[in-house]
Amino acid sequence: MQKRVAVIGGGIIGATAAFYLSYLDQSQSLSVTLFDDDLGQATKAASGIISPWLSKRRNKRWYALAKQGAAFYPKLIADAKLGPNVYQQTGTIVTRKQPDDLESLYQEAMIKLQHTPAMQDVELLSAREVGRRLPFLTNPPAGIFVKGGAKIDGRCFIEELLKQAQKQRLIVRRQRVFFDKSGQIRTSMGLEKFDTIIVATGAWMKGTLKPLNYLVKIRPQKGQLIDLAVNPLRYRSRLPVLMPEGSSDIIPFSQRKLVVGATHENDGGFDLKATAKAQTLLLKNAQVFDNRLKAGQIMQTRVGTRAYTDDFAPFFGRLPSNPNILLGGGLGSSGLTTGPIIGYLLAKAIVDEQWGHWEAFTRPLSNYII
């Protein structure tokens, strides 16, 4: 008899978990259903960067998880047969405003490179050398090039990953579902019982677990980014990403589209309306480096809702009082890096029926769920 598994939430954790629950060799014994209503999902609104190694964050668990997540991507891309429209390893250029800070960061990068194969290589670049790598910039900054850095299109990632999973065994149901007090799931077909459930509903997790009398210490944050149409004559294919200190990331995602973002709006809550204020801010941030960009080039503004914890760290694990329920969330702005590895670890635990020791990556769930 097949074991019934439900994944609630089709963002980056849920989609990755659902894929591996359908893909891993031992998963033939599972019947897997993913529930998702697509509302406000941060992943589908995002184009982002996989390059955690030179982050200013000093949370050791977060760094261990992010480092593992970045190294995991080539396996995931190969397993799911995802193409360059989803993921491109083009390198990233990280900047610092002060030359001394840039030099210190370079020394740190060289030390990390010795025991971080995923970084591949590191170069200290002058402003002129950055301009050669990103020829569309009119005011290039000096920076550090990390060869192993990559960029990813969140919407394409989710859609292609679930498409591959559905070719295996995954069932996708586009609806919002709720727990009843007994731990069953209330769906459009009535109450349904599953043997194991993964909850990965992002900023909405507080509401998801409320019927089970759990309080989730999580808050929503609104994020906006803009897509600009650009002149393909100024853009080569596979350009690196620019990560300026204290400003918005600049992601040349194709020869015709430039992505700038994203905002971090703590008072935005679950509001999904694009705002002129955010458009203006993001455009001005990009114009510092390319003064030819104009408001008329903005094709669209994408809006999503991130989930943040009090310590800005992701969490995942198994609910001690409801061991058939697993959680993953609180990704914040590093979701594209940390989400897939969390989804994989949760799926692997279910398939192998061996619950991992994840203390190196996350604090106990009791720090986030009470």
Side-chain angles (χ1 to χ4, degrees):
M1 184 175 178
Q2 285 191 316
K3 182 179 179 180
R4 298 192 73 203
V5 180
V7 179
I8 307 177
I12 198 156
I13 293 178
T16 307
F19 170 76
Y20 277 106
L21 285 167
S22 306
Y23 172 84
L24 292 168
D25 289 341
Q26 306 93 317
S27 63
Q28 291 90 339
S29 61
L30 305 178
S31 170
V32 186
T33 304
L34 181 140
F35 297 96
D36 183 62
D37 68 356
D38 207 28
L39 179 65
Q41 189 187 105
T43 307
K44 287 190 175 180
S47 288
I49 303 165
I50 312 302
S51 187
W53 308 287
L54 304 186
S55 170
K56 288 185 174 182
R57 297 175 66 167
R58 291 296 176 258
N59 183 318
K60 291 182 179 180
R61 287 189 180 91
W62 175 86
Y63 182 72
L65 180 65
K67 179 180 174 182
Q68 189 85 354
F72 172 69
Y73 256 98
K75 170 180 168 56
L76 172 56
I77 297 304
D79 287 346
K81 299 179 175 62
L82 302 180
N85 63 315
V86 175
Y87 175 89
Q88 297 178 22
Q89 196 171 76
T90 54
T92 53
I93 298 174
V94 183
T95 78
R96 289 291 182 265
K97 295 176 181 178
Q98 300 301 321
D100 288 349
D101 292 342
L102 188 64
E103 178 62 33
S104 296
L105 187 65
Y106 175 64
Q107 297 304 324
E108 177 186 335
M110 292 302 293
I111 293 171
K112 288 183 174 178
L113 179 63
Q114 297 175 24
H115 48 81
T116 311
M119 293 175 72
Q120 296 188 21
D121 195 14
V122 171
E123 297 178 64
L124 181 61
L125 304 179
S126 67
R128 178 175 292 183
E129 289 168 329
V130 169
R132 292 196 190 104
R133 304 287 179 104
L134 295 171
F136 63 91
L137 297 180
T138 58
N139 183 33
I144 297 169
F145 177 73
V146 183
K147 185 178 180 180
K151 52 194 170 188
I152 181 171
D153 184 294
R155 177 171 289 276
C156 287
F157 175 81
I158 294 296
E159 291 175 350
E160 291 299 318
L161 196 60
L162 292 181
K163 187 185 299 183
Q164 293 297 326
Q166 286 174 284
K167 291 178 182 178
Q168 306 291 332
R169 282 171 295 280
L170 178 67
I171 299 168
V172 176
R173 290 163 64 176
R174 295 297 181 187
Q175 59 180 279
R176 177 168 289 196
V177 297
F178 305 89
F179 280 108
D180 75 347
K181 293 182 179 179
S182 70
Q184 295 185 82
I185 297 177
R186 189 176 302 280
T187 74
S188 59
M189 299 171 63
L191 285 177
E192 297 186 47
K193 184 174 178 57
F194 291 86
D195 299 292
T196 306
I197 301 166
I198 294 176
V199 177
T201 48
W204 288 264
M205 190 182 291
K206 184 179 291 187
T208 306
L209 295 182
K210 186 176 180 180
L212 300 178
N213 294 317
Y214 289 108
L215 175 63
V216 184
K217 295 189 285 186
I218 209 168
R219 61 178 172 82
Q221 184 193 74
K222 182 177 181 178
Q224 301 186 60
L225 53 76
I226 55 175
D227 294 340
L228 297 102
V230 293
N231 185 342
L233 297 177
R234 293 188 186 140
Y235 289 74
R236 300 193 302 263
S237 62
R238 298 184 62 80
L239 291 172
V241 172
L242 183 65
M243 303 173 67
E245 182 182 22
S247 188
S248 304
D249 296 327
I250 298 175
I251 311 171
F253 220 92
S254 72
Q255 290 177 268
R256 296 183 180 273
K257 184 175 80 171
L258 186 71
V259 179
V260 182
T263 63
H264 296 77
E265 303 170 48
N266 291 323
D267 58 350
F270 293 96
D271 175 29
L272 296 175
K273 295 186 181 70
T275 65
K277 181 179 178 181
Q279 287 183 344
T280 300
L281 172 66
L282 294 171
L283 181 61
K284 284 184 176 179
N285 286 347
Q287 287 173 330
V288 170
F289 304 100
D290 183 358
N291 60 24
R292 292 173 294 205
L293 295 173
K294 306 296 181 185
Q297 294 174 250
I298 299 176
M299 296 185 292
Q300 68 170 334
T301 303
R302 288 181 271 160
V303 187
T305 308
R306 307 182 189 95
Y308 269 92
T309 58
D310 291 342
D311 62 359
F312 302 95
F315 61 84
F316 63 101
R318 193 181 187 192
L319 277 175
S321 53
N322 287 77
N324 65 315
I325 298 177
L326 290 84
L327 308 177
L331 303 182
S333 58
S334 67
L336 292 173
T337 302
T338 59
I341 189 64
I342 292 174
Y344 173 75
L345 291 172
L346 293 176
K348 199 83 166 69
I350 292 171
V351 171
D352 293 344
E353 296 185 345
Q354 295 179 1
W355 308 104
H357 298 286
W358 298 323
E359 296 87 353
F361 299 136
T362 179
R363 297 170 71 191
L365 283 184
S366 57
N367 286 275
Y368 309 100
I369 315 290
I370 56 176

